[in-house]
Every structure is written in structure tokens, then in C-alpha cells.
Amino acid sequence: MPHPPLTVDALIPAGLPAGTVNFVTHAPEDAPAVVEATIAHPAVRRVNSTGSTHVGRVIGRLCGEHLTPSVLELGGKAPLVVLDADMDAAVDAAAFGAFANSGQICMSTERIIVDETIADTFVERRVSGVDEAVEAANDSEYGLSAAVFGRDADRALAVAHRIDSGICHVNGPTVHDEPQMPFGGVKASGWGCFGGMTGAYKFTDLRWITVQEGPRAYPFWPHAEGAPTTADGGTPETGTRSHEERAATTPPRTSRPSWTTPTGAAPSPPVLQVQQHPQQGQACQPHIQHLRHRLVLTAVQVHRFARGRERGRPWTVYYRMRAAGPAQLL
């Protein structure tokens, strides 16, 4: 059995609970079945894969089938663009980026693009001007890391913005990483990022949780004509307690107005008024009036409402609620 990597050797003796870190080995021919079974397992809620673009496409497809979010950091073909740069710094960065770890790094410099004005000093590939340099840098299906060298940092930064890569360093090598920074590529170099808060966002679920403060009015008003009632005359939602009784037992809100009117009476149901817009001929502008909110209809919904009335048929109005303010046609 292969010896586990140093990270596993360090984390398990450190006291992580059993099952927190799992090191799985398998024969090469079993890789497809093992990967598919791992992604399909309900305990796996995120997938992070670093590898080739070919394998990344397979993993991305499997994650899509199981609706499992994934972060894929795949291959790269990092370009280093040299403009009117400090030649010694550019040469050092190119040598480091190309030969560190024998070039076996996803960020390794693999293409050096040099402006023809300095080609006699530093020649790998000549280009004529910034536009051609950008075109050459983007002439790859990959887009992980890149670098631009130039004495004019603003000019070099403008070129960096035009390069299709997830990472680009100005006057620095393509091989550069920091744990707090987002790390990821574009195009065939994958999707998503890990590192820093970006990684935390990718591996957590954003949720929306609300707490209702006090009574809440709904479009189906209690005790309205045709509303369902219980045997003792109350509503299924509230029993025999009236709106006023519920409001009386609920502490008033400090940041938002109460659901009751100044006289203590329950608010009346929303009223829809269709009026002719003074500047749009026959166009209708809906006004839905309510004590605390304006319920705003879209133009399509107003059209359906108007057609329903013309035909004399029952109609249903769908709306969304927004903070109190002037009613308007969206």
C-alpha cells in the first residue's frame, strides 16, 4: 500500500476526528469507478480537483449529474510577456518560472513573448507591439497564470487586464501563490477558485433565514368574503384570534411601522386601479394601494389583467412586494 502523503501523516496524528481526512488508493484501471462512486456518495458535498483538462471534464460531468458543486484547477500554458522591461528582472523571472520544480507546476512559464524592440537582448518569440503581444498570450486554450513585464507599470497593468487568465502578475513570475488569494483559471484551465475567503465561499452554502416580527398580512385576508373559516368562525391560520388580538399581544416594531392603522383597525385589502397614462395613450399604469406596501405589477401582468377583464373571465394577479413608495410601472 502506498505511503500516505505528508499532509495526511501530519493531520491524523494531530487529533483530527476519524473520517475527517480519508486517503484512498486504487489501481489505475479502477480510477473511473472509484471517482464516480466518490462523487455520487451523499456524504460528498463539494469536489475540488487538480489535474489535467481531460480528467477535469470527466469530473465536471459527473458533478453535474449529481448536482455537486465543484472547483476544477486544471492545466496551464502560462505566457510571460516582456515589453520595455528591466531585462535582468525579466530574465530571472522567466528562468525561475520555467525551471522551478523542473517545470512541473501548473503555473510554470511555458511561453515567452518578447516585444521586437528588445528582441536582440531577449529573444524567444518576437511580436510587434502590445496588441500582437496580447493576441499571442491569448493564443491558447488554457488560461491559468500569466505575467507581464514593463518599466511602465500602468501600461503593463493595462496589458494584464487584456490577457485571458485567472491569474496575472505584473513584473513578477508566473509561478506565484499566496494562501489568502483566490487561485483558479479560465477557459480549459478550469472553473472556480480556492484560497482565502473565495475558497470558503466555494465550500459553504449561502442561506437566507428570516424571523417574522409580529403579525403579517397576506393576499388572502382573514374573514374576507369567501375565505375559509373554522367551525367557531376563525381562520385556519389563526383560530378564533382576530387580527387586532394578535397585534395587541405582539410587541411593536421599532424599525418598521405596525400592521395596524392609527385607529387600530385592520388594514383593508389591496385595491387595484388601472388608469390611462397621460403620456402613453392607451397604456395602463397600475396602482395597487395598501397601508404599508405598494404591490407592483409588471407590464405583462397588466396586459393579462386587462385581457381577462375584457373577456369577463375571472383573473389572477401575481405580484411582488417592495418597500412603501410610489407605485410604478416596471
Side-chain angles (χ1 to χ4, degrees), residues 9-276:
D9 261 350
L11 292 173
I12 293 180
L16 287 181
T20 304
V21 176
N22 298 280
F23 178 63
V24 180
T25 62
H26 56 78
E29 61 270 18
D30 295 332
V34 171
V35 170
E36 184 168 3
T38 302
I39 294 175
H41 197 284
V44 176
R45 300 173 60 187
R46 294 290 190 279
V47 172
N48 183 1
S49 176
T50 299
S52 69
T53 299
H54 171 72
V55 174
R57 287 192 172 101
V58 174
I59 292 176
R61 174 178 56 80
L62 293 172
C63 289
E65 291 178 1
H66 298 281
L67 296 181
T68 302
S70 63
V71 174
L72 304 178
E73 192 265 287
L74 309 177
K77 206 74 173 174
L80 185 146
V81 178
V82 183
L83 305 175
D84 54 342
D86 180 328
M87 254 338 87
D88 291 336
V91 169
D92 289 345
F96 169 76
F99 296 106
N101 283 9
S102 299
Q104 298 300 306
I105 307 175
C106 57
M107 303 171 282
S108 292
T109 301
E110 300 198 24
R111 296 178 296 143
I112 302 175
I113 303 165
V114 185
D115 190 285
E116 66 179 359
T117 59
I118 56 172
D120 292 338
T121 308
F122 190 166
V123 177
E124 173 66 22
R125 176 176 179 180
R126 297 190 182 195
V127 295
S128 179
V130 170
D131 291 340
E132 189 173 331
V134 171
E135 182 179 358
N138 291 334
D139 186 19
S140 170
E141 64 174 326
Y142 300 101
L144 181 59
S145 183
V148 179
F149 273 81
R151 295 183 185 277
D152 185 338
D154 290 337
R155 182 185 181 219
L157 183 61
V159 173
H161 282 297
R162 297 173 59 188
I163 294 178
D164 297 331
S165 63
I167 306 161
C168 191
H169 306 290
V170 173
N171 291 334
T174 60
V175 178
H176 180 84
D177 190 18
E178 297 180 25
Q180 79 279 11
M181 290 291 104
F183 188 95
V186 297
K187 300 192 293 188
S189 291
W191 61 49
C193 296
F194 49 82
M197 289 307 299
T198 303
Y201 294 145
K202 287 294 183 181
F203 284 82
T204 54
D205 290 317
L206 180 62
R207 302 177 62 202
W208 181 29
I209 301 176
T210 70
V211 176
Q212 179 67 31
E213 302 174 0
R216 177 172 179 171
Y218 296 94
F220 310 104
W221 295 85
H223 305 295
E225 182 180 355
T229 59
T230 60
D232 54 7
T235 65
E237 303 86 0
T238 63
T240 58
R241 296 181 67 200
S242 67
H243 182 89
E244 292 82 358
E245 290 172 331
R246 295 197 310 277
T249 58
T250 303
R253 305 187 215 186
T254 57
S255 60
R256 292 184 291 274
S258 170
W259 279 100
T260 57
T261 64
T263 60
S268 58
V271 177
L272 177 66
Q273 298 178 349
V274 179
Q275 300 178 357
Q276 180 174 325

Side-chain angles (χ1 to χ4, degrees), residues 284 297-310:
C284 294
L297 295 178
T298 66
V300 173
Q301 291 159 351
V302 172
H303 175 67
R304 291 175 179 170
F305 161 73
R307 291 185 63 188
R309 289 201 56 175
E310 290 172 359

